[in-house]
Amino acid sequence: MRTFQALALLALLGPALPAPAETSSTPITISIESNRPGATIDRHIFGQFAEHLGSGIYGGIWVGEKSPIPNTRGIRNDVVAALKALHVPDVRWPGGCFADEYHWRSGIGPADKRPTTLNTNWGGVIETNSFGTREFLDFIEQIGSEAYLSGNVGSSDPREMAEWLEYLTSDRATTLQRLRAANGHPAPYSIPFFGVGNESWGCGGSMSPERYLSEFRRFATYAKNFNPAQTGDHHMKKVASGADTADFNWTEVLMKDYPGNGWSEMDALSLHFYSGFEKWPPNRPATGFDEANYAAVLKTTLRMEELVRRHSAIMDRYDPGKKVALAVDEWGAWYTPAPGTNPGFLYQQNSERDAIVASLNLNIFARHADRVRMANIAQMINVLQAMILTDGAKMLLTPTYHVFRMYVPFQDATFIPVTYEPGHYEAGSVTLPRIDVLAARAKDGKVHVALTNLDPSAAIDVTLGFPRAGATRATGETLTAPSIDSVNTFEQPDTVRPKPIGAEAKGGALVLHLPPESVTVVELD
Ligand code: AHR
């Protein structure tokens, strides 16, 4: 049956793909070292982030039970269905900067009794608190994901944090457990990840690393999972607020405290890095850009490799056993806000360029799978490099969404090293590799290969080679677009969408034709 489906798919290839662009003169040979398996690519590197920011939550996820937009207990059905296809491993909530001003008691109980507050970080808008703890965890359950809560360190105290966790996880009849039951959830929630503060060097409290370290130790001591059944595999992992970009001293100070015996409250240390600009603030548009701009953004994106490598090297010195994960829990391209939108809402379009940005980042995380075991793209819906854009009842899937869907087989797959000579793609003063490749053996035993062609003018023929018996067929999808700044709009939602691609071995060689500016994922048989 599988063979028949694969052949049927191949038969479709001719008409489904746009006419191939001029093939670049130099084909590339990729050697897939399937006999040298590496680390497991943790599915949590495909995590997401949903903050109370712009229409990331209100409008994007939450429309309320009385909305004419089809919903389940107030949560949009179309968004839930789209996200289910991504197998989203975890969602970070409620912030971001919002988290360090969030007081969980504002978001529980009957909606009409919840206080109205101000979102001082993002546009100074009214926060109704109608989306709170119960609604978030309902959303998590509906999309089949896991919760990554960010706790308030900056404007809270350890008691408030501990009480939220008791409210969430206690299985004993305490007052807070009874309150949770009265609010509709008698069973304890599972909270696998808990962030102890966010950007504590900035909006999370403007602390020095030394000051944050002492706050982390104090808060983390009381940030407990109150459900004894949720230990072992269900142990709640605590994520310490980590460095901004190249603040290596922050990582040094936090890791220096890591005890020789390996026991620590810190299961992960975060890193935030946004690409798309060289110097704050973001200065490039999300649409209507030229090739020089395209190449410059990709160059900033590839900086992630150096950042991960250097932060990891510091962690290796204090934690050679790699017990503490590096959690890149905010990443993505940050452009100037879409014209005519509230600049505090960080709403931006998402183009074919962002598909390339997403694949390059995911490949970097996967190559560092031994240390990078969590990452959260910023953000899930309507904010920054989003998966989904909504406008009232309308919804569209962005090029970034399609990359995340195509990469699902890499979740918990085993990394396989690849060797190839990428060559150079040059745009003005910027020189980039022509291609980027990731290979892994999925949980079903099949080898999957992701290939990104950065060059917007030249298709590339790649030959896939194996040390042992080779594959005879590659089938999958490729995501390309009419131009580098092509986007999906509510009027034309399918301008950028994946199309089938494949190849049969000829004369012992398996050659794939990668369209210009494309992301391709194939399964080998
Ligand atoms: O993702 C937007 C903001 O960027 C987050 O709230 C903050 O943590 C970061 O600076």
Side-chain angles (χ1 to χ4, degrees):
M1 184 61 181
R2 288 189 69 87
T3 307
F4 171 77
Q5 283 167 341
L7 291 174
L9 188 61
L10 287 173
L12 285 172
L13 294 180
L17 277 174
E22 194 64 26
T23 302
S24 161
S25 53
T26 327
I28 294 177
T29 298
I30 297 163
S31 171
I32 299 170
E33 316 282 344
S34 50
N35 53 351
R36 291 200 301 123
T40 299
I41 300 169
D42 199 309
R43 68 181 186 283
H44 290 285
I45 70 164
F46 299 92
Q48 309 260 340
F49 173 32
E51 180 167 11
H52 287 238
L53 195 177
S55 49
I57 301 287
Y58 298 108
I61 296 174
W62 179 256
V63 287
E65 288 178 29
K66 297 195 181 121
S67 170
I69 299 172
N71 68 83
T72 302
R73 295 181 293 279
I75 294 163
R76 292 179 77 123
N77 293 344
D78 53 355
V79 164
V80 167
L83 291 173
K84 272 181 163 172
L86 299 188
H87 299 235
V88 179
D90 65 271
V91 184
R92 181 170 181 254
W93 176 85
C97 295
F98 183 82
D100 277 286
E101 290 188 26
Y102 185 63
H103 300 282
W104 67 273
R105 282 190 168 83
S106 303
I108 61 165
D112 59 352
K113 303 259 174 347
R114 297 187 190 180
T116 298
T117 51
L118 272 186
N119 189 333
T120 58
N121 282 291
W122 305 116
V125 294
I126 292 281
E127 167 61 58
T128 62
N129 287 298
S130 43
F131 190 88
T133 297
R134 186 182 61 193
E135 293 74 21
F136 172 68
L137 289 157
D138 187 11
F139 169 62
I140 286 297
E141 203 177 316
Q142 288 191 36
I143 65 169
S145 189
E146 291 187 325
Y148 173 13
L149 298 181
S150 333
N152 179 347
V153 168
S155 68
S156 167
D157 56 36
R159 179 177 176 175
E160 183 179 346
M161 187 180 274
E163 287 181 348
W164 194 18
L165 284 165
E166 184 187 332
Y167 175 84
L168 288 157
T169 63
S170 176
D171 65 342
R172 314 291 164 81
T174 64
T175 301
L176 285 170
Q177 185 276 339
R178 286 200 298 269
L179 182 59
R180 186 189 68 227
N183 286 334
H185 208 279
Y189 289 109
S190 166
I191 308 296
F193 303 100
F194 193 81
V196 183
N198 166 74
E199 298 196 348
S200 302
W201 37 264
C203 63
S206 304
M207 299 180 214
S208 67
E210 291 78 11
R211 171 71 200 275
Y212 172 69
L213 173 62
S214 103
E215 290 294 298
F216 171 78
R217 294 178 71 145
R218 195 164 74 101
F219 276 72
T221 303
Y222 305 105
K224 295 177 184 163
N225 186 343
F226 287 76
N227 185 351
Q230 293 175 352
T231 52
D233 284 351
H234 300 287
H235 160 79
M236 183 181 79
K237 296 197 170 76
K238 294 175 204 172
V239 184
S241 172
D244 176 27
T245 312
D247 184 354
F248 301 111
N249 181 50
W250 187 281
T251 300
E252 181 82 37
V253 170
L254 268 282
M255 288 308 298
K256 208 187 248 170
D257 190 57
Y258 192 72
N261 63 13
W263 186 90
S264 162
E265 292 288 352
M266 184 166 59
D267 297 291
L269 177 62
S270 78
L271 166 67
H272 288 184
F273 172 58
Y274 287 94
S275 58
F277 55 94
E278 286 79 15
K279 216 168 120 236
W280 186 261
N283 59 344
R284 292 196 174 88
T287 54
F289 48 84
D290 60 13
E291 188 176 342
N293 199 304
Y294 163 83
V297 166
L298 298 192
K299 188 173 173 195
T300 66
T301 299
L302 289 175
R303 203 177 161 212
M304 182 68 91
E305 169 67 38
E306 185 210 341
L307 294 173
V308 165
R309 193 169 33 75
R310 292 184 64 183
H311 285 287
S312 296
I314 296 168
M315 296 176 81
D316 286 349
R317 274 198 275 121
Y318 300 103
D319 171 32
K322 298 182 193 288
K323 289 195 170 144
V324 181
L326 181 61
V328 190
D329 59 9
E330 284 189 31
W331 67 270
W334 191 324
Y335 306 118
T336 50
T341 61
N342 183 333
F345 286 4
L346 309 185
Y347 179 89
Q348 64 190 40
Q349 247 294 3
N350 194 289
S351 71
E352 175 67 10
R353 176 177 65 182
D354 295 295
I356 311 264
V357 167
S359 72
L360 294 176
N361 276 298
L362 293 171
N363 293 355
I364 292 167
F365 303 150
R367 282 195 277 271
H368 292 273
D370 57 346
R371 182 66 82 177
V372 180
R373 299 195 290 272
M374 183 170 218
N376 300 77
I377 189 168
Q379 298 193 6
M380 194 175 227
I381 302 165
N382 293 331
V383 177
L384 298 177
Q385 191 175 345
M387 306 286 119
I388 291 175
L389 301 178
T390 64
D391 179 13
K394 291 181 275 187
M395 179 194 87
L396 66 79
L397 307 178
T398 67
T400 298
Y401 172 94
H402 292 305
V403 171
F404 270 70
R405 218 251 313 122
M406 290 160 67
Y407 269 65
V408 165
F410 291 97
Q411 296 198 11
D412 288 336
T414 305
F415 179 83
I416 297 176
V418 286
T419 48
Y420 58 97
E421 176 43 62
H424 296 115
Y425 151 55
E426 280 169 24
S429 58
V430 175
T431 302
L432 298 166
R434 289 168 72 207
I435 61 166
D436 194 57
V437 183
L438 169 68
R441 191 177 293 282
K443 284 186 290 180
D444 66 1
K446 297 268 171 89
V447 172
H448 292 256
V449 188
L451 306 110
T452 304
N453 177 2
L454 285 72
D455 193 328
S457 326
I460 301 176
D461 282 342
V462 293
T463 305
L464 303 177
F466 291 82
R468 290 196 295 231
T472 55
R473 180 187 301 126
T475 46
E477 291 176 296
T478 189
L479 184 71
T480 185
S483 67
I484 43 181
D485 64 344
S486 293
V487 296
N488 291 335
T489 62
F490 296 108
E491 294 69 41
Q492 290 181 305
D494 286 328
T495 304
V496 189
R497 79 185 158 93
K499 299 181 177 69
I501 190 172
E504 297 270 7
K506 284 200 192 92
L510 189 53
V511 181
L512 264 181
H513 184 78
L514 306 179
E517 65 205 16
S518 62
V519 180
T520 301
V521 177
V522 288
E523 174 185 297
L524 304 183
D525 286 293

